[in-house]
Amino acid sequence: MCGIVGYVGERDAYPILIKGLHRLEYRGYDSAGVALINEAGKLNVFKAKGKVAELESFVTDKDTTGHIGIAHTRWATHGEPNTANAHPHYSESERLAIIHNGIIENYSVLKAGLTQEGYTFKSDTDTEVLVQLIEYTQVDRQVDLRTAVQLALQQVVGAYAIVVLDQEHPDTLIAARKGSPLVVGIGDGEYFLASDATPIVEYTDKVIYIDDEEVVTINKGRDVEIVTIGNVQKTPEIKRLEMSLSQLEKGGYPHFMLKEIFEQPRTLTDSMRGRINVRQDNISLSGFIDNRERFLNAKRIIITACGTSWHAGLIAMYAIEEFARIPVEVEYSSEFRYRKPVIDKDDVVIAISQSGETADTLAAIQLAKEHGAFIFSICNVVGASIPRVSHSGCYTHAGPEIGVASTKAFTAQVVALTMLALCIGREKGTLSPDKYLAIVRELGQIPDKIECVLGQDKRIAEFAKMFMYAQNFIYLGRGYNYPVALEGALKLKEISYIHAEGYPAAEMKHGPIALISSEMPVVVVAPRCGTYEKVVSNIQEIKARKGRVIAIVTEGDDLISKIADFVIEVPCTEECLTPLLTVIPLQLIAYHIAVVKDRDVDQPRNLAKSVTVE
Ligand code: F6R
């Protein structure tokens, strides 16, 4: 997740680039940088760790003149967030500069080859390897820059959107994409390039969306030229942007929460990118590989988190115990930190946090560290306090989550934790190779399957109206879907202010069934797996007491469809992955009920996005 922007024309490039970076800052904000060619033909690169504002302070006394430039806001993947790893990156001769969004999977092999040729590297990034490869190819093969870019990209495995600036061609930008977005804006004698149209829309409504494996050359005096990396000419297709500036912050959605719900196919692709290989038969998590022995020798895993992140931790308990056969305890950080828990130096503590700043989780980590445990964090915000104080970890790469009710961060946490459980299970030999392969393959299908669930949004919005006056809700689920029931209830509570409780379905008859009446909507998460038949019986018990049942079922489930009052279908998947699909309708139900009740969906009362106090 990075933001890239470029400009060539008659105007001063710097203010356009900086404004563009601010618009793209939601894509990452651990460092920012800009490269410009000044009137004297010199290529200047300026970078700063932190947000775009830090870059602006840094360049106040620098030469930011020029009518051509590129700029980048980074969401760290390879290499920690620091100035050296910030983009743009120079080539060896400092004649070329590059910005990149994506991951070059085979960068270490390419780097080794270039090192043998005498190339040196100033950063830990895969991006620097690419710009060096482009320069090496150009010098070695004696070709023009575009050909060098094509040849270099033919050697690359992975995802990229890149823009290259060449000091010797101060009117030209060369860009390319595969798997990461790239848009060209066509102005009057000027061109813009960006990760999405948000930095472009105030200058022009004419855009070209670059396709995978296309290389585009934009020169201020000429038409846009597009060729594939295999050198097939393409005819640029100019499209008209249908968006207004005011819509941009929410990307056209009425609320950040809805935008974030709909982003999930993409955010989960981002969470898996560079971790699940292109053949979709292997997971490689660097945090696990670097600490393999700690995980394999762990006598126990303690998961600590708060709220929605705690629900993701509960799902992880099912997956880790099933695949890795290591006992797992899931602890509310706020309880764990004060209850004098028994912690051993052989324990692995997994701390989960979207913001990376939750005070209770930080304190729980501190306590576990004092007892010598190994701390692994699952976090969304790069460079936040929790990953900084942890021994190792895994970023979820869901992108900035602005809606206070967590949605896309939750599913990204579940994906990261599932990948970790699979890695431990495979290495321990407690998970069969066939089962491992089946789940890894299925993980790759999850974004498309979520897309299918999102297709039912209008229907869910209609039915939500029927429940706007309900005073209470019950959510039920079993196994992997018990935490989903808890999460559905939390979503409804926090944004609609309707009281809701989540229970394991079988616990109904130990008390909560007394609440069932025709006034009580009961949401039952019942995909066809695990204890399905038992859940069907639970639904019968509710119907016998006149409860109103809303069931989340697997596609084609004729049995529950006949008993429940309302049914939402999700595609079939591996049991451990069902939460990634079943939670989507629950997010949408909560959202639409809150909207009909005219609640402040993105900023519900009494809540804050990052809970930095006890
Ligand atoms: C609910 C929600 C909260 C957070 C909790 C932990 O939608 O967002 O329950 O999950 O405050 O926050 P993080 O994950 O930032 O530690």
Side-chain angles (χ1 to χ4, degrees):
M1 288 290 291
C2 301
I4 65 180
V5 56
Y7 174 78
V8 56
E10 297 298 335
R11 306 189 215 203
D12 285 339
Y14 176 73
I16 294 170
L17 295 173
I18 285 294
K19 204 168 188 186
L21 285 189
H22 277 295
R23 291 256 165 76
L24 293 173
E25 205 166 20
Y26 76 95
R27 301 179 67 88
Y29 35 80
D30 59 275
S31 65
V34 60
L36 298 140
I37 301 178
N38 68 13
E39 285 299 306
K42 180 167 182 336
L43 173 59
N44 289 312
V45 173
F46 306 114
K47 334 197 249 193
K49 186 179 166 186
K51 295 193 172 199
V52 178
E54 304 292 330
L55 176 67
E56 287 179 276
S57 322
F58 177 70
V59 300
T60 43
D61 57 348
K62 307 281 188 299
D63 174 13
T64 54
T65 60
H67 305 289
I68 183 166
I70 57 179
H72 187 270
T73 178
R74 179 167 185 251
W75 187 269
T77 55
H78 288 75
E80 65 173 279
N82 59 26
T83 310
N85 289 334
H87 302 209
H89 290 284
Y90 274 128
S91 61
E92 188 81 10
S93 69
E94 302 200 349
R95 201 198 84 210
L96 306 179
I98 196 172
I99 49 175
H100 168 221
N101 170 26
I103 292 172
I104 309 299
E105 287 182 22
N106 60 337
Y107 82 106
S108 51
V109 179
L110 297 171
K111 190 172 182 174
L114 288 163
T115 308
Q116 274 193 346
E117 296 294 335
Y119 279 71
T120 54
F121 294 86
K122 298 181 184 68
S123 77
D124 305 321
T125 63
D126 50 345
T127 306
E128 192 184 11
V129 175
L130 185 53
V131 71
Q132 300 281 45
L133 182 65
I134 293 168
E135 180 165 293
Y136 168 74
T137 308
Q138 193 177 10
V139 174
D140 187 54
R141 304 282 286 271
Q142 294 291 301
V143 289
D144 62 15
L145 182 62
R146 188 181 76 186
T147 310
V149 169
Q150 289 170 294
L151 293 172
L153 292 177
Q154 285 170 17
Q155 298 176 57
V156 157
V157 178
Y160 52 80
I162 57 162
V163 190
V164 183
L165 184 57
D166 180 354
Q167 184 169 256
E168 287 177 8
H169 294 95
D171 286 337
T172 307
L173 292 172
I174 295 188
R177 74 154 270 182
K178 183 180 177 189
S180 296
L182 189 63
V183 189
V184 177
I186 304 164
D188 195 5
E190 60 185 354
Y191 291 109
F192 308 83
L193 266 166
S195 300
D196 65 35
T198 56
I200 295 174
V201 69
E202 69 186 275
Y203 306 107
T204 177
D205 62 353
K206 283 189 277 177
V207 293
I208 301 167
Y209 293 98
I210 305 304
D211 281 331
D212 273 355
E213 302 206 338
E214 286 183 349
V215 179
V216 55
T217 307
I218 59 175
N219 177 301
K220 89 170 169 207
R222 294 202 223 126
D223 286 343
V224 173
E225 270 180 57
I226 302 178
V227 290
T228 66
I229 61 169
N231 211 27
V232 177
Q233 290 287 333
K234 291 292 191 91
T235 309
E237 207 184 316
I238 299 174
K239 298 239 161 82
R240 208 157 276 276
L241 275 181
E242 282 178 24
M243 62 164 77
S244 70
L245 217 46
S246 60
Q247 286 176 310
L248 284 178
E249 284 193 317
K250 290 174 186 148
Y253 288 92
H255 298 98
F256 281 110
M257 182 181 174
L258 189 63
K259 172 171 170 259
E260 287 158 5
I261 291 172
F262 271 81
E263 273 176 347
Q264 289 174 105
R266 184 173 60 71
T267 53
L268 294 194
T269 304
D270 289 339
S271 303
M272 292 185 267
R273 180 170 294 133
R275 290 165 172 169
I276 296 188
N277 64 355
V278 268
R279 291 189 306 281
Q280 293 199 347
D281 60 8
N282 192 40
I283 297 171
S284 133
L285 281 185
S286 57
F288 169 74
I289 294 166
D290 297 346
N291 303 286
R292 191 177 164 277
E293 299 308 317
R294 289 301 307 234
F295 281 101
L296 299 189
N297 296 328
K299 301 243 173 354
R300 179 175 64 152
I301 291 179
I302 300 170
I303 296 179
T304 187
C306 302
T308 287
S309 299
W310 185 83
H311 297 153
L314 265 191
I315 294 172
M317 177 184 79
Y318 286 86
I320 295 171
E321 292 200 339
E322 179 179 352
F323 304 141
R325 310 302 298 149
I326 300 172
V328 180
E329 289 168 21
V330 188
E331 300 269 2
Y332 283 117
S333 304
S334 52
E335 289 298 308
F336 183 70
R337 63 182 293 192
Y338 287 120
R339 70 168 180 79
K340 302 191 176 49
V342 178
I343 309 168
D344 192 82
K345 60 176 179 25
D346 292 327
D347 288 336
V348 168
V349 172
I350 301 179
I352 310 169
S353 175
Q354 186 286 129
S355 62
E357 302 293 346
T358 300
D360 283 324
T361 307
L362 265 169
I365 291 174
Q366 199 51 46
L367 179 73
K369 262 179 126 174
E370 282 161 18
H371 287 77
F374 174 72
I375 317 293
F376 187 89
S377 58
I378 302 284
C379 197
N380 195 36
V381 177
V382 176
S385 302
I386 288 176
R388 279 207 309 271
V389 299
S390 303
H391 295 116
S392 182
C394 171
Y395 284 116
T396 47
H397 296 306
E401 191 177 61
I402 298 165
V404 162
S406 187
T407 52
K408 62 177 182 170
F410 171 75
T411 45
Q413 287 166 347
V414 173
V415 162
L417 289 157
T418 305
M419 291 192 293
L420 180 64
L422 292 169
C423 288
I424 310 173
R426 183 194 47 181
E427 288 287 310
K428 280 195 75 181
T430 43
L431 173 66
S432 77
D434 286 353
K435 185 76 181 164
Y436 172 82
L437 189 63
I439 300 172
V440 175
R441 290 257 152 84
E442 192 54 30
L443 262 172
Q445 304 304 311
I446 288 294
D448 286 347
K449 293 190 175 183
I450 291 181
E451 207 76 72
C452 293
V453 185
L454 291 171
Q456 300 176 67
D457 177 53
K458 289 212 163 42
R459 218 179 121 240
I460 295 172
E462 275 307 304
F463 114 94
K465 287 182 195 156
M466 296 189 292
F467 293 96
M468 69 177 289
Y469 297 113
Q471 302 283 311
N472 300 284
F473 264 75
I474 288 180
Y475 284 71
L476 302 176
R478 288 191 77 159
Y480 282 95
N481 285 286
Y482 157 52
V484 174
L486 297 181
E487 175 60 7
L490 176 61
K491 288 288 89 91
L492 187 70
K493 274 188 275 217
E494 67 184 325
I495 60 169
S496 72
Y497 317 146
I498 294 175
H499 173 242
E501 294 298 335
Y503 291 103
E507 277 295 298
M508 277 293 286
K509 45 180 106 49
H510 300 288
I513 201 162
L515 294 168
I516 303 296
S517 73
S518 57
E519 301 293 300
M520 177 66 86
V522 185
V523 180
V524 188
V525 191
R528 209 183 304 107
C529 54
T531 49
Y532 172 78
E533 277 81 16
K534 314 269 179 212
V535 178
V536 174
S537 303
N538 297 138
I539 295 175
Q540 303 276 20
E541 288 155 15
I542 299 160
K543 286 310 300 171
R545 285 152 187 88
K546 303 207 168 10
R548 286 192 290 164
V549 172
I550 302 145
I552 316 301
V553 300
T554 305
E555 254 165 21
D557 185 326
D558 301 332
L559 184 58
I560 296 183
S561 317
K562 290 197 188 97
I563 335 169
D565 298 81
F566 195 87
V567 158
I568 303 165
E569 292 191 341
V570 299
C572 184
T573 189
E574 289 283 335
E575 183 175 9
C576 65
L577 304 182
T578 53
L580 295 166
L581 303 181
T582 54
V583 77
I584 308 292
L586 304 194
Q587 295 171 344
L588 288 170
I589 289 171
Y591 172 78
H592 288 297
I593 292 180
V595 168
V596 288
K597 290 180 82 72
D598 202 21
R599 301 299 194 215
D600 187 346
V601 171
D602 283 330
Q603 285 158 354
R605 70 184 179 203
N606 306 338
L607 292 175
K609 186 73 191 154
S610 181
V611 185
T612 53
V613 290
E614 275 195 60

